[in-house]
Amino acid sequence: MPRFATMENATQFELRLANRMSRLGTETAFEVLNKARALEREGKDIVHLEIGEPDFDTPANVVEAAVGALHKGWTHYGPSAGLPELRQVIADYVSRTRGVPVNTDEVVVVPGGKPIIFFSVLALADVGDEVIYPNPGFPIYESMINYVGARAVPIQLREERDFGLDVKELASLINDRTRLIILNSPQNPTGGVLPESDIHDIADAIGDRNIMVLSDEIYSRLIFEGEHFSIMSIPGFKERTILLDGFSKTYAMTGWRMGYGVMRADLAAHMTRLMTNSNSCTASFTQIAGVEALRGDQSSVDRMRDEFKRRRDAFVAGLNKIKGFSCRMPKGAFYAFPNVTATGWPSKKLANVLLEEAGVACLSGTAFGDFGEGYLRFSVANSLENLNKALDRIGEWIGKNL
Ligand SMILES: Cc1ncc(COP(=O)(O)O)c(C=O)c1O
């Protein structure tokens, strides 16, 4: 008798997943990327505008710092909340940029921005609690809220408000069961930026209720018009805000996996326990590079932002020339989110045919929630040459099929 099940009889054992797994969502960008790669293996040429990551290399000074750290032996476990040096640099940076005093014990370093979403929802929302989140929005919010058994309450982002939210509508969604409100500005997928006056109105709508705000500011350095403003800066909100920021987008470090949360020290201690239970710590040599990223020369950040702006301007102008497409000028991040309802095609179908027939990979607005119907998301984190190629291909396909 073989000791272990063979491949043939392994399937006799039904996979018995925990119920909660049926409530866990995903991020469609990775699925579309896989599908696009499969088409490429068949010999098709695809322009990749589906994935939200800078196409630039990580700045050389940051890479050097990581290599140096590896040689110096930063290869061991570190504290779960992050290396004290990096927590201090982050505390200084957030104090400076958000205008509120921040201590190191209010900073938790994690592998990417995503774990802060995961941990915030896990730590704060019980079964039956309500969490308000932007829709269309980063899909991980809704996925995590559902996963923990809380009630996901969407606040619609409205094109006519430049993809901002209607604060009166938000106020009407807040009730005694609301535990957490998620804000994201600059926003994925719309590129919308919440004006400072709206953030003040949101703070007024929350008033003195004991509700936490998860403020996802991962694109805070990618603003093309105006200044970034955080709800954390409003008096009375520091202790009710979890600020999410990180290195992925600002320093083109998506694959390094490093982000952070800034929050009241008592909550930070619980987040740290979640880190101990899940990851132990963020990679130590990566954190040494993080110190250099925040402290060192920032000119590469400005260069990347200027380049994204150039591409945004060209791509949005091009989209607006295509029949059935109309696109607002995004004020931040690196996405264009055109309204395609005038094509008469449902978003998902249109995204599919553009991939399969036009060779342009983009995402359906519905990958970001139900209120994304009628839109497509394109990442402009690609060369101008490829963006122009994509515009030509879409224009040609629409010309033939509309
Ligand atoms: C709004 C938003 N928040 C968080 C993240 C996660 O970033 P990270 O790759 O650092 O986990 C992303 C990544 O696409 C994002 O768009």
Side-chain angles (χ1 to χ4, degrees):
M1 284 286 282
R3 231 178 115 208
F4 299 105
T6 62
M7 283 306 276
E8 290 93 74
N9 68 13
T11 52
Q12 288 173 11
F13 298 100
E14 181 196 356
L15 177 63
R16 292 196 302 191
L17 284 176
N19 273 337
R20 70 176 81 87
M21 285 305 287
S22 66
R23 300 194 299 266
L24 189 65
T26 188
E27 201 180 339
T28 313
F30 291 100
E31 285 168 13
V32 175
L33 176 67
N34 285 343
K35 201 168 157 192
R37 293 255 187 266
L39 288 169
E40 284 173 325
R41 280 195 295 277
E42 288 168 19
K44 273 213 155 198
D45 181 58
I46 307 287
V47 183
H48 289 275
L49 305 183
E50 74 278 44
I51 275 279
E53 72 168 338
D55 55 323
F56 301 104
D57 290 331
T58 304
N61 60 318
V62 180
V63 174
E64 291 300 317
V67 172
L70 277 169
H71 285 302
K72 285 187 195 121
W74 287 97
T75 52
H76 300 274
Y77 288 130
S80 291
L83 295 176
E85 301 88 313
L86 179 59
R87 293 171 82 198
Q88 184 63 57
V89 173
I90 292 170
D92 294 346
Y93 170 73
V94 173
S95 301
R96 202 169 63 242
T97 51
R98 274 60 170 203
V100 283
V102 173
N103 296 320
T104 47
D105 59 356
E106 296 168 319
V107 177
V108 184
V109 181
V110 292
K114 256 182 191 167
I116 293 297
I117 303 171
F118 203 95
F119 295 164
S120 298
V121 177
L122 266 181
L124 297 174
D126 263 323
V127 174
D129 286 342
E130 296 189 4
V131 180
I132 300 175
Y133 70 103
N135 187 326
F138 190 47
I140 302 308
Y141 308 141
E142 191 181 290
S143 166
M144 277 310 299
I145 300 164
N146 290 331
Y147 186 63
V148 302
R151 205 165 90 77
V153 180
I155 173 78
Q156 184 171 5
L157 300 187
R158 296 184 176 277
E159 185 180 358
E160 66 275 16
R161 304 182 68 94
D162 256 347
F163 294 109
L165 50 83
D166 178 341
V167 181
K168 282 202 191 85
E169 200 176 334
L170 176 70
S172 75
L173 298 175
I174 299 174
N175 62 44
D176 292 344
R177 291 180 302 279
T178 310
R179 293 299 308 276
L180 182 67
I181 297 174
I182 302 177
L183 300 177
N184 173 214
S185 177
Q187 216 252 345
N188 177 9
T190 64
V193 172
L194 287 174
E196 183 173 335
S197 57
D198 279 10
I199 296 178
H200 278 283
D201 290 345
I202 292 168
D204 286 344
I206 297 170
D208 57 7
R209 290 185 179 84
N210 188 2
I211 293 173
M212 293 294 291
V213 177
L214 170 59
S215 186
D216 184 341
E217 303 178 18
I218 195 113
Y219 298 100
S220 59
R221 300 279 289 276
L222 278 167
I223 288 206
F224 308 118
E225 276 103 39
E227 297 278 310
H228 177 67
F229 184 75
S230 172
I231 194 166
M232 184 176 248
S233 311
I234 296 179
F237 272 84
K238 192 192 150 198
E239 66 173 338
R240 286 179 287 167
T241 303
I242 302 163
L243 180 145
L244 180 165
D245 207 335
F247 299 80
S248 300
K249 317 285 176 176
T250 307
Y251 299 100
M253 291 174 72
T254 47
W256 293 62
R257 309 312 302 141
M258 185 165 47
Y260 54 87
V262 177
M263 69 211 78
R264 50 195 283 174
D266 51 0
L267 179 57
H270 293 291
M271 291 261 187
T272 302
R273 218 150 40 95
L274 284 164
M275 267 300 283
T276 305
N277 275 269
S278 53
N279 300 290
S280 294
C281 64
T282 305
S284 298
F285 59 92
T286 304
Q287 294 187 63
I288 298 293
V291 172
E292 172 61 24
L294 278 174
R295 267 217 196 118
D297 179 19
Q298 302 294 302
S299 58
S300 50
V301 179
D302 298 333
R303 263 202 310 280
M304 285 191 269
R305 192 195 48 237
D306 292 348
E307 181 58 27
F308 285 136
K309 183 169 188 287
R310 220 158 63 87
R311 297 171 183 181
R312 172 202 72 163
D313 291 347
F315 192 68
V316 170
L319 282 178
N320 280 320
K321 290 195 191 116
I322 296 173
K323 193 173 158 203
F325 280 56
S326 89
C327 188
R328 294 208 165 219
M329 192 57 91
K331 294 198 170 73
F334 39 60
Y335 306 108
F337 200 64
N339 185 323
V340 292
T341 43
T343 62
W345 282 71
S347 299
K348 192 153 194 248
K349 270 196 170 161
L350 185 59
N352 276 339
V353 290
L354 288 180
L355 173 60
E356 284 163 12
E357 297 177 21
V360 177
C362 66
L363 299 183
S364 163
T366 51
F368 302 91
D370 292 344
F371 292 125
E373 181 54 64
Y375 300 90
L376 295 178
R377 191 197 78 171
F378 295 90
S379 162
V380 298
N382 206 323
S383 66
L384 258 184
E385 189 192 345
N386 280 334
L387 289 168
N388 283 327
K389 199 198 274 187
L391 287 169
D392 289 346
R393 289 179 179 187
I394 299 166
E396 197 179 317
W397 188 91
I398 291 280
K400 279 192 199 138
N401 294 280
L402 213 67

